[in-house]
Amino acid sequence: MVFSSITFLFYFLPIVIVGYYCLSFSRALQNIWLFALSILFYGWGEPFYVILILGSICLNWVFGLLVGAFEKKKRHKKIVLIVACIANIGVLAIFKYTNFICDTINTILETEQFLKVSEISLPIGISFFTFQALSYVIDVYRGDAKPQKNPLNLGLYIAFFPQLIAGPIVRYNSIEEQILHRKASWTQVAEGCCRFVPGLIKKILISNNMATIADQVFELATAGSSVKAVPVLLAWLGAIAYTLQLYYDFSAYSDMAIGLGKMFGFEFEENFRYPFASKSIREFMSRWHISLSTWFHQYVYLPLGGSRVVNQDLMVRNLFIVWLLTGIWHGAAWTFVWWGLYFFVLILVEKVIMFESWEGHDIGKRIYTIVAVVIAMTLFRSESMWQFSQMLLNMTGLNQNGFYSAHVIMFLKEFWPVFVAGILCLFPTGDYIKQRLFAKKIHPVIKVGASFVYVAGMLVLFWICTVILAKGGYNPFIYFNF
Amino acid sequence: MIEKYKHIFAAFFLVILLGFSGYNFFVLRTEIIEDVTQLEKPEGVEEWKAYMTSIDSVLTANLVFGHSWNEWYAQILNVFGKNEENSFKYVRDKDGVLYTGDFWNVPDISAEEITTRIRRLQDRTAPYGTKVVVLLFPPQYNEAWSDGYYGIPYRDYSEYTEEVLAQLRYYNIDYLEYREYFEKDGVEVLDLFYKTDHHWRTEVAFEGFQILVDYLNQNYDEKLDLYYTDINNYEVEKYEDAFIGSRGREAGLSYVGMDDYQLIIPKFDMQYALTSHDKDGNEMYAKGDTMSTLISRKYFAEEHYYDKDLYGSYLDGIRYDDAIETLDNPDGLDVLFLRDSFASPMATFFAPYCSEMRLLWTERMGADRVEKVIEEKAYDYIFVAISVDNLTGVAVPYYATEEAEQDGQS
């Protein structure tokens, strides 16, 4: 089930909310309710893989208990941790990477027969819930959290529906306390609603419309310039549209997840913090999918030694490993591997030339960051390196593809409101407007007027989203790879 | 500290969310439960996913306010001045006509393959004296009559059509290409097509029927009686703003408006027996005059405009398999139409010339079933009757070459 659907909005969500608050007398029952509905949420789209997620919960619950039981036997504790890591990553590898590995070996050996396995469909959200499960076992191992004795509570942490299929990746130590001792208040519920609805608006009104443009342009590019030429401007428009699609889809899901969490008394950490306002790639990545970069930082980069190593070569190695894994985490294809390495190279070069310490040149830095990100997202969207090469050649005009086509003007004319909204919301425009409108010096009438506009505007936009969902408008789901 | 207006919004939002959900389920609970219980129960693990998807579809389809959702959607399109709807599914021109959106204009099959299939059909049936004629109904988008917006991707198979025509000539396959008959000076798309539907107008289909009869008389020396092609022998009922086609229903009435519709009914008496089969093989039988067999007024009686699918007046729009026996003309032609829905009004007008007429919706029937019908008897004519916009491998599935099957062409 996805958030941007009639089933979720007008069946699932009301049932969860009403049931949850009817059980306010018992936290345990509330947790059981949320866990049961989370499994239903997952099973709605992946009925067969419910077994997988339940298996993951049980296995990691046992690992957690064993790590706790061997508290004073460090060797045993370490063995359990290693086994847990192998088991979790093994499951992820089998379901996510088997086909990729076999294809790669077959390509190297130039045969289709050397390794042949039947297609394994990827369970949605496996990368997210596996990383959360690992976070739990590692946190218990490190003593940052206590072993969870109740498997349902652990199940709720791993399978909680708001963050189950598209993140944010919640680290166990950041939520342990909330599982049993959270306090849900009306203020929190209100904040949750005010976070959920903008997320839904971003997904349906901005991301889905950008997807329309990006999908067409990337598909045309796949044919190659001899079949369909994609002129320079159209290629850039497609690449920018995809960058906006990905950002607004991903950040929208995070907004909705954070909002839903608040409705049930949970506080999740932020996952996006205006990344396009960055002045370097390092800064961009520190504001983009924060929960994943934090996870890698906490559980991979720091254990490897991080930046505080005696030898700079080790720092480079650590950086390389983290970005290689980040790339692979996003999908089982070479494009994702190269995507991770692309960021590794850029961040390394920025470190070497101390790019961030250069004074001035802010506009230049921002332009560089945005252009580098758009190219990265083009690689991310490409189904193969060949498609990426076609897009890159089209973007640089080296594909005998011309400069301009009528489609460019048409796309801009048809989607201009979405482009305007999409570009404005890349930056903290809303926060700026809010600060100006609700400053102390502002006349109360204006404040009331602005409040009215906010409430009415949000309700109208929510209604438009509902209309589009009811109509069955284009609503792509981009997390199949994750 | 959360601002007051956020509290107000949250209160409104929750009231709307919970209120609407409860109201919707309360009003439509019977339909929802009925629809869900009618779904095929999953037997294997693999079927569960499809089952859940079907439930999802039921829940999405069953919303209170019915067609109003489409109308609200249309208003949104109007506010933003959109000329494309739902990710270029349909695109609009300056006359307000809705077309299929297509960035590629390349069908799923090569001109060589599609004509090879038709040539194979001709080779199989020629020994029995059957004549194969391709009836290419006009494309909706044509530079000669369409006035499109700059950059909008209208489906335009004109290049491909030229290739197909060249191949048809190369393979000595007879064809009647309607486009050239309608490309007159000053012709506009609305003279030929509905703006809310992909079909040609009934009166244009009648003209198409006249052209066909002339063609058969001139090229095959058929001596078909021109009494039936004279419009004076028909009652023409004109309905203003009466029809909204499938595209209009999707995009919304207030976005595209309504079409005028003409119902052309023969004044002469003719008795028919009609046997139809749906996709599951269920049979429907009717016997009597034109109005109780081939033409129906049932869609005029629908209350809501969205349900008045007037194009369905002739042969119910389209069915999988129709067999028409003209009881008053036992010596007429024996004809097989391998067709799409464009052929429905035209075939209805042509029926008086036939003793037997069979119509197969080839796109939905699959090659084996079509080939079986083709080979079961010696027809006088087999008409491959499809619109240029439907000139795809799916619509011509029969006698595919092995190469095409290996290449995965339809």
Side-chain angles (χ1 to χ4, degrees):
Chain A
M1 198 185 299
V2 293
F3 298 153
S4 53
S5 68
I6 292 291
T7 309
F8 179 82
L9 279 178
F10 296 117
Y11 290 90
F12 186 85
L13 186 56
I15 291 171
V16 187
I17 292 174
V18 171
Y20 182 80
Y21 284 99
C22 284
L23 296 171
S24 294
F25 57 89
S26 163
R27 174 70 71 222
L29 285 178
Q30 282 185 317
N31 283 353
I32 290 170
W33 174 251
L34 287 181
F35 174 64
L37 270 289
S38 295
I39 294 299
L40 173 70
F41 176 88
Y42 191 75
W44 197 266
E46 293 280 2
F48 180 64
Y49 286 130
V50 164
I51 300 163
L52 183 71
I53 197 168
L54 290 175
S56 173
I57 291 165
C58 293
L59 203 64
N60 286 290
W61 175 65
V62 172
F63 285 137
L65 291 179
L66 285 174
V67 169
F70 294 131
E71 183 57 47
K72 288 175 184 169
K73 296 177 181 175
K74 288 191 174 176
R75 192 180 155 81
H76 287 65
K77 198 165 84 162
K78 199 166 193 172
I79 290 170
V80 174
L81 177 72
I82 291 168
V83 172
C85 290
I86 291 171
N88 279 295
I89 294 169
V91 169
L92 187 62
I94 288 168
F95 283 97
K96 190 166 177 175
Y97 300 107
T98 307
N99 294 329
F100 171 59
I101 292 166
C102 292
D103 287 347
T104 304
I105 293 172
N106 288 337
T107 307
I108 292 167
L109 298 176
E110 294 181 347
T111 172
E112 289 180 3
Q113 299 298 328
F114 183 73
L115 276 175
K116 205 170 183 183
V117 288
S118 57
E119 284 286 313
I120 300 172
S121 68
L122 182 66
I124 292 171
I126 187 169
S127 303
F128 290 100
F129 68 72
T130 303
F131 268 41
Q132 292 209 166
L134 271 172
S135 156
Y136 163 68
V137 182
I138 296 170
D139 284 353
V140 174
Y141 172 82
R142 287 176 174 177
D144 292 341
K146 290 175 189 164
Q148 178 57 256
K149 288 178 183 161
N150 186 338
L152 292 178
N153 287 340
L154 182 66
L156 179 60
Y157 159 67
I158 292 176
F160 189 33
F161 73 88
Q163 30 80 1
L164 181 55
I165 56 171
I169 299 166
V170 180
R171 281 167 296 114
Y172 185 71
N173 60 16
S174 73
I175 206 171
E176 182 191 13
E177 182 69 12
Q178 297 176 38
I179 291 174
L180 284 176
H181 305 295
R182 65 186 176 277
K183 284 177 187 167
S185 63
W186 163 248
T187 301
Q188 228 178 344
V189 173
E191 278 180 350
C193 295
C194 293
R195 201 62 202 271
F196 176 79
V197 175
L200 187 72
I201 293 165
K202 280 161 74 176
K203 163 68 183 155
I204 292 174
L205 298 187
I206 302 182
S207 175
N208 288 356
N209 277 304
M210 287 295 134
T212 293
I213 302 171
D215 288 356
Q216 299 296 351
V217 174
F218 275 82
E219 207 177 313
L220 290 170
T222 314
S225 123
S226 56
V227 181
K228 281 277 174 190
V230 177
V232 176
L233 286 182
L234 186 61
W236 274 101
L237 190 73
I240 291 167
Y242 180 68
T243 305
L244 293 175
Q245 179 202 348
L246 186 67
Y247 171 64
Y248 281 108
D249 205 300
F250 215 166
S251 66
Y253 263 85
S254 294
D255 285 345
M256 287 189 273
I258 291 168
L260 288 166
K262 281 178 184 286
M263 288 184 204
F264 303 107
F266 287 92
E267 292 290 343
F268 299 146
E269 290 171 3
E270 287 298 331
N271 210 17
F272 291 85
R273 205 177 294 122
Y274 299 111
F276 288 89
S278 305
K279 286 184 276 186
S280 70
I281 290 297
R282 189 211 58 78
E283 188 188 353
F284 180 90
M285 292 314 290
S286 69
R287 292 161 172 255
W288 173 278
H289 203 177
I290 298 165
S291 64
L292 181 71
S293 42
T294 309
W295 195 99
F296 275 115
H297 189 259
Q298 295 271 318
Y299 300 119
V300 180
Y301 191 63
L302 291 182
L304 285 171
S307 304
R308 293 178 184 175
V309 282
V310 284
N311 188 335
Q312 287 298 305
D313 295 349
L314 286 176
M315 186 273 288
V316 174
R317 183 206 64 181
N318 297 345
L319 211 58
F320 173 80
I321 291 171
V322 166
W323 282 104
L324 180 68
L325 293 176
T326 304
I328 293 172
W329 182 88
H330 280 91
W334 281 104
T335 47
F336 294 110
V337 175
W338 289 115
W339 180 82
L341 294 180
Y342 171 85
F343 279 117
F344 159 70
V345 170
L346 288 180
I347 289 170
L348 186 65
V349 169
E350 283 180 0
K351 275 183 185 282
V352 169
I353 64 173
M354 291 189 284
F355 180 74
E356 289 182 293
S357 62
W358 293 5
E359 289 189 7
H361 314 295
D362 278 4
I363 294 173
K365 283 178 170 179
R366 286 181 203 279
I367 292 172
Y368 145 74
T369 305
I370 289 174
V371 170
V373 167
V374 169
I375 292 170
M377 295 315 173
T378 305
L379 175 57
F380 193 88
R381 170 63 174 76
S382 299
E383 284 158 23
S384 62
M385 288 308 288
W386 188 84
Q387 192 188 38
F388 175 62
S389 70
Q390 287 298 307
M391 275 299 286
L392 216 51
L393 288 170
N394 290 333
M395 288 161 81
T396 47
L398 300 174
N399 212 11
Q400 295 181 324
N401 54 322
F403 184 72
Y404 161 82
S405 82
H407 288 331
V408 178
I409 295 293
M410 181 275 293
F411 277 130
L412 290 174
K413 190 169 166 286
E414 289 295 312
F415 295 93
W416 70 267
V418 184
F419 271 109
V420 170
I423 290 168
L424 282 178
C425 295
L426 287 177
F427 307 100
T429 321
D431 294 345
Y432 175 78
I433 293 169
K434 195 173 82 178
Q435 277 174 7
R436 299 299 290 263
L437 284 175
F438 292 95
K440 280 184 182 174
K441 292 176 186 170
I442 300 294
H443 195 280
V445 175
I446 295 176
K447 289 182 185 175
V448 172
S451 301
F452 175 78
V453 169
Y454 173 86
V455 174
M458 290 274 275
L459 288 173
V460 167
L461 291 172
F462 174 67
W463 171 77
I464 291 176
C465 291
T466 308
V467 169
I468 291 170
L469 289 177
K471 166 75 179 47
Y474 188 53
N475 193 9
F477 183 73
I478 61 171
Y479 305 100
F480 288 112
N481 283 323
F482 294 2
Chain B
M1 184 64 189
I2 183 170
E3 296 85 348
K4 272 184 189 168
Y5 61 86
K6 289 192 173 177
H7 285 282
I8 297 168
F9 167 72
F12 272 114
F13 171 70
L14 287 174
V15 168
I16 291 170
L17 183 80
L18 300 177
F20 178 81
S21 309
Y23 176 72
N24 186 66
F25 187 74
F26 179 75
V27 173
L28 296 173
R29 63 191 184 285
T30 320
E31 288 88 337
I32 292 170
I33 293 166
E34 202 172 290
D35 288 354
V36 170
T37 47
Q38 278 176 359
L39 293 174
E40 214 165 293
K41 300 285 177 295
E43 288 176 3
V45 175
E46 300 82 20
E47 291 175 17
W48 266 99
K49 197 168 179 173
Y51 182 63
M52 300 308 252
T53 308
S54 304
I55 295 178
D56 221 35
S57 304
V58 168
L59 298 179
T60 307
N62 282 294
L63 281 179
V64 287
F65 310 135
H67 299 304
S68 301
W69 294 103
N70 282 50
E71 286 312 307
W72 292 328
Y73 177 71
Q75 295 294 0
I76 294 167
L77 294 178
N78 284 331
V79 166
F80 290 103
K82 298 280 279 180
N83 292 311
E84 67 84 30
E85 81 94 26
N86 205 358
S87 199
F88 294 94
K89 185 175 182 187
Y90 299 127
V91 286
R92 188 169 66 168
D93 77 353
K94 288 176 183 170
D95 292 312
V97 178
L98 290 179
Y99 301 82
T100 304
D102 194 339
F103 282 88
W104 290 85
N105 292 319
V106 180
D108 59 350
I109 190 169
S110 67
E112 167 85 32
E113 172 63 21
I114 203 162
T115 42
T116 303
R117 291 181 188 187
I118 300 170
R119 174 66 202 216
R120 285 175 154 204
L121 163 71
Q122 185 168 286
D123 290 345
R124 293 281 177 107
T125 54
Y128 307 101
T130 302
K131 285 145 282 198
V132 172
V133 183
V134 177
L135 307 181
L136 269 184
F137 301 130
Q140 190 183 25
Y141 183 83
N142 184 353
E143 282 185 1
W145 55 63
S146 299
D147 192 8
Y149 287 104
Y150 185 63
I152 293 276
Y154 302 98
R155 172 166 289 178
D156 180 4
Y157 282 171
S158 51
E159 274 182 39
Y160 168 73
T161 308
E162 293 306 328
E163 280 179 46
V164 172
L165 295 176
Q167 292 285 335
L168 289 172
R169 288 191 292 271
Y170 178 78
Y171 281 112
N172 284 321
I173 299 166
D174 197 11
Y175 65 84
L176 172 54
E177 205 230 338
Y178 279 102
R179 189 179 49 172
E180 63 187 49
Y181 288 89
F182 296 119
E183 280 181 352
K184 301 165 198 160
D185 277 350
V187 69
E188 290 182 9
V189 64
L190 284 170
D191 298 331
L192 306 173
F193 289 89
Y194 299 108
K195 60 183 174 185
T196 64
D197 203 52
H198 58 292
H199 294 113
W200 53 359
R201 292 175 172 277
T202 316
E203 57 273 30
V204 181
F206 188 83
E207 210 178 322
F209 151 67
Q210 292 169 319
I211 292 167
L212 173 63
V213 172
D214 277 351
Y215 187 84
L216 294 178
N217 282 343
Q218 284 178 27
N219 292 276
Y220 293 94
D221 200 22
E222 282 295 346
K223 299 185 178 59
L224 299 174
D225 186 353
L226 296 183
Y227 174 84
Y228 298 117
T229 60
D230 184 353
I231 192 70
N232 294 315
N233 296 320
Y234 292 80
E235 197 76 60
V236 181
E237 295 176 7
K238 295 182 180 176
Y239 299 91
E240 280 188 18
D241 289 339
F243 170 49
I244 178 164
S246 56
R247 291 180 179 178
R249 292 196 292 275
E250 276 208 40
L253 179 60
S254 44
Y255 177 67
V256 72
M258 295 198 72
D259 275 302
D260 298 340
Y261 185 81
Q262 291 192 18
L263 186 69
I264 301 174
I265 303 166
K267 289 177 184 169
F268 50 86
D269 184 36
M270 193 67 78
Q271 295 293 308
Y272 300 99
L274 168 71
T275 311
S276 294
H277 289 92
D278 66 13
K279 62 177 179 175
D280 301 317
N282 300 318
E283 190 175 295
M284 192 274 288
Y285 180 77
K287 190 177 174 184
D289 63 8
T290 312
M291 294 308 289
S292 50
T293 52
L294 311 186
I295 305 177
S296 165
R297 284 183 193 277
K298 69 178 178 184
Y299 292 106
F300 287 88
E302 294 287 350
E303 271 183 30
H304 200 285
Y305 281 121
Y306 270 75
D307 302 320
K308 288 188 178 186
D309 186 9
L310 301 186
Y311 190 80
S313 303
Y314 295 89
L315 294 174
D316 216 13
I318 190 163
R319 286 180 291 243
Y320 273 65
D321 182 356
D322 289 317
I324 302 165
E325 189 184 352
T326 309
L327 302 172
D328 295 336
N329 188 12
D331 300 323
L333 299 170
D334 192 349
V335 170
L336 171 64
F337 275 88
L338 304 175
R339 57 91 164 226
D340 61 17
S341 51
F342 270 64
S344 292
M346 203 188 79
T348 305
F349 302 131
F350 194 72
Y353 292 115
C354 304
S355 59
E356 288 183 36
M357 182 192 283
R358 189 85 182 262
L359 300 112
L360 304 183
W361 190 8
T362 47
E363 188 181 312
R364 301 291 170 94
M365 290 189 66
D368 293 344
R369 230 167 121 187
V370 176
E371 285 169 18
K372 196 178 161 199
V373 176
I374 290 168
E375 290 163 18
E376 73 185 17
K377 68 194 269 198
Y379 300 96
D380 294 321
Y381 287 95
I382 293 181
F383 294 122
V384 176
I386 41 183
S387 149
V388 165
D389 293 341
N390 277 342
L391 201 56
T392 59
V394 195
V396 185
Y398 36 86
Y399 304 123
T401 62
E402 281 173 20
E403 294 83 12
E405 281 172 354
Q406 281 167 5
D407 287 354
Q409 289 191 38
S410 303

